[in-house]
Amino acid sequence: CVEIGAGLGLPSFACAMLGMKVIATDGDKDVIELLEKNIEANSEILTSAGGSVRSAYLLWGDTAQAQEAAEIIDSEDRNTQEILTYPDLVLAADVVYGNQEGVWKQLSDTLRDVCGPETLLLLANVQRFPRGDPRGEWKFYEMLQAHFHSVEIPHASLHAETAGQKNRSGSCMVSALCKRNSRDVFQ
């Protein structure tokens, strides 16, 4: 599993508690320092659950770093005779904000580069503007359509506090995505 824009690593730790081996990435070196402190403070409990978290610096838009993050997972989690270089799962939580299409393009490119044909990408985000608002994050989701099939998880499937907030500012949106050139796992 790879987490993009991990910050302090909560989703990564949750996955590790489920027994996953996770690379938590971020493009801010100060944040990586804090993440590494969190990893160290929680390593014993994560190990006892059968999982682990490692940090890696990943600047969005850097194709070589994105591919390296995928290969790190490969070298640790796979039998060396299996040449699979992509993680099964990529997580990105609350990484789409602001209204900077250049940054969104870098994020979109990074997600494209980290994900393989069998990778499931789970993208969770706070909806900051109503659907259709020109300042909104919808442009980013449109950008992803060039590379990914996507399904929005129904709000009724999310926590009860968010179920009634569909399409409103502050509501949570969770999407499951797979690469367009892969077999369509959503059919």
Side-chain angles (χ1 to χ4, degrees):
C1 176
V2 172
E3 183 181 5
I4 304 295
L8 299 179
L10 181 60
S12 292
F13 292 134
C15 288
M17 289 301 295
L18 295 171
M20 294 181 192
K21 304 214 180 321
V22 184
I23 296 286
T25 69
D26 205 285
D28 183 323
K29 292 184 180 188
D30 292 332
V31 170
I32 290 288
E33 272 186 53
L34 293 171
L35 176 59
E36 288 172 352
K37 288 178 183 178
N38 280 347
I39 292 169
E40 185 178 328
N42 292 286
S43 65
E44 189 174 314
I45 193 166
L46 298 175
T47 301
S48 70
S52 67
V53 177
R54 290 189 338 143
S55 67
Y57 178 77
L58 175 58
L59 189 62
W60 296 346
D62 188 323
T63 299
Q65 284 182 349
Q67 291 172 340
E68 184 177 312
E71 290 171 5
I72 288 169
I73 289 293
D74 176 50
S75 66
E76 287 198 349
D77 292 350
R78 309 273 186 202
N79 179 323
T80 55
Q81 294 177 350
E82 287 184 77
I83 310 298
L84 301 174
T85 58
Y86 295 102
D88 295 327
L89 177 63
V90 171
L91 302 173
D94 205 23
V95 294
V96 183
Y97 46 86
N99 192 9
Q100 299 173 323
E101 289 190 43
V103 173
W104 291 349
K105 169 104 172 69
Q106 292 170 333
L107 174 56
S108 174
D109 290 349
T110 297
L111 293 171
R112 178 201 64 213
D113 293 340
V114 169
C115 293
E118 300 293 321
T119 301
L120 173 64
L121 166 60
L122 293 178
L123 180 59
N125 212 67
V126 173
Q127 183 176 332
R128 290 175 172 79
F129 298 97
R131 194 178 293 255
D133 188 305
R135 299 168 296 169
E137 53 279 329
W138 303 105
K139 294 175 196 171
F140 172 74
Y141 289 93
E142 290 171 3
M143 216 178 273
L144 285 179
Q145 296 304 312
H147 305 291
F148 294 93
H149 294 286
S150 68
V151 173
E152 188 174 338
I153 307 301
H155 277 80
S157 299
L158 304 177
H159 191 277
E161 288 183 19
T162 65
Q165 297 183 13
K166 185 176 183 181
N167 294 328
R168 291 187 6 210
S169 295
S171 68
C172 183
M173 198 173 115
V174 180
S175 300
L177 301 96
C178 68
K179 275 192 152 174
R180 285 199 172 275
N181 61 352
S182 60
R183 106 185 119 80
D184 192 350
V185 297
F186 299 127
Q187 290 186 4

